[in-house]
Amino acid sequence: MQYIHSISSVSIQNSFNQEGFSNSLVQLADSNGLILPQYKEWIAPMALRRMSPILKSSVSAANACIKNSPDFEIEGIVVGTSLGCLSDTETFLNNINQSGSQAISPSAFIQSTHNAVAGQISLLLGNHSYNMTHSHDGLSFELALMDAMLLSESVDGLVLVGGADEYIPFLEEIKGNWGVKKGQWQSGATFLTLGKRPSSSGVLVAEAIATQAEGSIDLQLREILHKLGWHPESIGLILSNCDLSQTFPNARTANYLEYTGYYPTAPALAFHIAYDQLVSSPDGSHRALVVNQICTDSLGIICLEKS
Amino acid sequence: MNIFITGIGAISSIGKTVDECFASLKNGKSGIAHSSKGAFNGYIVGEVQIETAELQAQYKAEELISRTTLLGLAAASEAVDGHDLAMPLRTGFVSGTSVGGMDISNGEYLNHINGRPFNKKVFMHHACGTTTLQMAHHLGIKHYTNTISTACSSAANAILLGARMIKAGILDRAVVGGVDSLSIFTLSGFKSLMILDNQLCRPFDQTRNGINIGEGAGYLVLESEKAIQTTKKNAKALLTGWDNSSDAYHQTASSPEGKGAVLAMSKALLMAGVSPGEISYINAHGTATPNNDLTESTAIKTVFGEKVPPFSSTKSFTGHTLGASGGLEAVFSVLSLTHGSIFPNLHFEQPIEETGLIPAGQFKEGQKIKHVLSNSFGFGGNNTSLVFSNL
């Protein structure tokens, strides 16, 4: 288990540096798109100039986290992104198409690599530690979190973890293949710092799992909770994107996609909403789950607890 | 605890199997040439000498599948051949790739923006994770699958992650490595950076002028001590050290002193409990770009001082296989240990003036190779070093 020391998101919710935002969530259908921070406050002008949307939101959220946990060194940077830097990928493909025999500018290519987010963060921080990017479809964030939790056990400082994906209009054209309806695609970037030492919030990640779904998710969930020594009655909140049977009598449940929009690393924002509920919700729940079964074959489970 | 390597698999422009690759390395036979495919006209590349259709038939693969998945499957299948993946062991599959199924998605996207008919289903194969999941499905690995995408250090990082999970007791066994296939996207990308050579690449040479892109895949099977007692497989070598560190200097270029490379190499050696003097051979990253080879040489001199061991870049044989390079070169590192081999650095004539290092010139066999260091450095200042050791 690892403690959450700080967390921030750029999303359709008022989630950037706003504790308690989860008590006034906006539904996707009613949202006006991403609520952006003042990027200039978080990123130097020279760096900002050439950044794509996913880079701007990720670097801002990462910097906000680091600012909110200033006492510790960042000893690892781990990012999950399923589709990577789509706008720069698209730009470079367009550049290839239009160039003919002319030279093509490399900027979009450089920033199209999946690890551009993690790499850019290390560059701007001058950070020499472990730097990893997980790009594994619907479980990219959970896998990044597992990696970060493993790393955090062996370092004294904090590990910065993030989950980010960006929307481009072209996704709407091919949406049918992913079963995502028109208007559901979104962008988002969530970053948090994890550490062994207890944090002022007292919220910890007890477990993060990314695996194959085997038949009944309820059964797999029960096994994981049993290993943690958690009774189903102790779960106060479940955010999921699938139907769970009535195994959690005291849990408020919600489909997080209604509040995050669809993007493969949306579980990261669901994680933030769950965290925020644990610290600020009046109902006093102290345990929350984020359950991700966006693909029938895969299963992501994150267990949060406020100590 | 020891991490045992019990399987290796490889496919590249110099061979469709590990044995074929080794024979080419032994005979100085590079696989870099003008492409046979119209799409890559004008580029010299390290192309795997097998048609996609043939691979599809071989693996009874679905009609719509990326070449990346198929090449990965070829190498991973070779690595796991003779392994019972259904044994009650927590087995993972961690694969590195820089652009996943871009080989088929980039063409389809170009169709789209030029108003030509395009097949939306192709984009289901674009994502890095999808190529890994398809491979895992064919191999029958379900418990833990993951994809690492850190540009040219992807496969090395996949190996590192699998090893960390075994060491932490989360996995018993892991199939790890990486794959990339040729694509217009990456060829155009490296060309736009002006680091693509239109002649055969010359790693560590004063006149080096850039990379030749290659395609391929390389995978290892890693097992814990407990797992090997169950599987009873013969180990070929040990993975004894690893490190990933960041250069934090520039998005693509490495720092003049090669800080990230120095950190990665030093920390991997420290972890392995191996002193620089005990390294028998370095399989360098050696892309043949003006920047990498200079900074890597500088970093090697910092870590090894005056006693730089024999080193070479096998990218002079295979081309730079991008996300696959760490995996393919891990296989070559294991071959170095099992055959007592030093692989030559082709096309070298004059040392880099600033550093004066001279890479291995000839293939050698039957040498005393105890420990091998393998470097893989990617864009974003991502530096990974792995130490492989004899049993």
Side-chain angles (χ1 to χ4, degrees), chain B residues 63-354:
Chain B
E63 195 190 303
L64 196 54
I65 192 165
S66 82
R67 184 175 169 84
T68 305
T69 303
L70 292 166
L71 290 176
L73 200 46
S77 299
E78 185 184 14
V80 305
D81 187 32
H83 288 72
D84 180 359
L85 294 175
M87 270 185 174
L89 291 169
R90 294 164 305 166
T91 303
F93 181 54
V94 188
S95 183
T97 183
S98 68
V99 289
M102 182 71 85
D103 60 300
I104 50 172
S105 58
N106 64 190
E108 215 57 34
Y109 184 80
L110 291 172
N111 282 337
H112 161 62
I113 56 179
N114 287 306
R116 295 191 290 262
F118 71 102
N119 184 354
K120 291 181 186 179
K121 291 203 169 92
V122 168
F123 297 97
M124 295 308 293
H125 299 268
H126 168 80
C128 297
T130 307
T131 60
T132 306
L133 285 165
Q134 288 171 324
M135 286 182 242
H137 178 74
H138 274 267
L139 295 169
I141 300 175
K142 302 179 188 185
H143 174 70
Y144 175 88
T145 59
N146 197 353
T147 315
I148 299 296
S149 191
T150 56
C152 306
S153 53
S154 297
N157 282 330
I159 294 171
L160 181 153
L161 181 62
R164 280 175 61 223
M165 293 185 73
I166 292 174
K167 188 166 182 217
I170 301 171
L171 291 177
D172 303 311
R173 176 171 60 174
V175 181
V176 292
V179 56
D180 259 316
S181 63
L182 292 173
S183 70
I184 291 296
F185 188 83
T186 50
L187 281 164
S188 306
F190 283 93
K191 186 176 176 185
S192 75
L193 283 161
M194 301 200 291
I195 50 174
L196 204 62
D197 199 343
N198 58 9
Q199 293 173 48
L200 293 173
C201 66
R202 303 176 289 293
F204 298 106
D205 187 277
Q206 174 63 17
T207 68
R208 68 203 180 283
N209 200 27
I211 73 176
N212 303 137
I213 298 190
E215 61 178 2
Y219 288 90
L220 312 175
V221 181
L222 304 180
E223 295 188 39
S224 66
E225 290 192 47
K226 184 178 142 234
I228 211 170
Q229 281 161 25
T230 305
T231 64
K232 311 248 189 291
K233 299 305 291 179
N234 289 326
K236 297 172 188 291
L238 300 169
L239 174 58
T240 48
W242 54 80
D243 184 76
N244 172 272
S245 289
S246 299
D247 199 37
Y249 174 77
H250 185 269
Q251 284 169 318
T252 55
S254 29
S255 57
E257 69 275 26
K259 179 156 190 168
V262 170
L263 285 170
M265 287 190 276
S266 318
K267 287 174 155 199
L269 287 171
L270 190 65
M271 181 191 168
V274 171
S275 68
E278 294 176 276
I279 292 288
S280 317
Y281 165 62
I282 305 174
N283 185 292
H285 187 54
T287 54
T289 62
N291 175 252
N292 177 80
D293 292 7
L294 172 57
T295 62
E296 188 174 8
S297 298
T298 305
I300 286 172
K301 287 183 85 168
T302 301
V303 174
F304 292 89
E306 290 306 308
K307 299 210 176 101
V308 174
F311 72 96
S312 66
S313 169
T314 46
K315 291 179 175 72
S316 56
F317 281 88
T318 58
H320 184 0
T321 56
L322 306 183
S325 58
L328 194 52
E329 290 157 25
V331 171
F332 295 164
S333 299
V334 171
L335 290 173
S336 167
L337 288 163
T338 57
H339 287 81
S341 294
I342 305 278
F343 304 118
N345 190 110
L346 300 177
H347 318 130
F348 171 85
E349 284 184 15
Q350 10 164 347
I352 298 171
E353 274 166 21
E354 294 95 318

Side-chain angles (χ1 to χ4, degrees), chain A residues 90 97 104 106 111 115 120 123 127-131 133-137 143 147 170 173 177 211-212, chain B residues 109 112 114 120 124 129-130 142-147 149 164 192 244 246-247 249-251 379 382:
Chain A
E90 198 171 33
N97 195 48
I104 308 175
Q111 295 200 155
N115 69 318
Q120 187 71 222
L123 186 57
N127 185 287
H128 295 286
S129 64
Y130 180 88
N131 194 288
T133 299
H134 298 258
S135 184
H136 197 66
D137 283 10
L143 288 162
D147 182 5
F170 183 63
E173 292 230 29
N177 292 308
T211 187
Q212 171 104 351
Chain B
Y109 184 80
H112 161 62
N114 287 306
K120 291 181 186 179
M124 295 308 293
T130 307
K142 302 179 188 185
H143 174 70
Y144 175 88
T145 59
N146 197 353
T147 315
S149 191
R164 280 175 61 223
S192 75
N244 172 272
S246 299
D247 199 37
Y249 174 77
H250 185 269
Q251 284 169 318
F379 282 172
N382 202 284

Side-chain angles (χ1 to χ4, degrees), chain A residues 20-66:
Chain A
F21 79 94
S22 63
N23 292 317
S24 44
L25 292 175
V26 144
Q27 292 224 304
L28 177 64
D30 302 324
S31 96
N32 291 316
L34 293 181
I35 299 179
L36 302 179
Q38 286 296 327
Y39 287 136
K40 286 186 302 223
E41 290 175 21
W42 299 98
I43 308 170
M46 275 296 285
L48 185 55
R49 228 167 30 97
R50 232 265 111 234
M51 278 190 187
S52 61
I54 192 175
L55 278 177
K56 284 191 258 212
S57 53
S58 296
V59 171
S60 303
N63 280 337
C65 278
I66 291 166

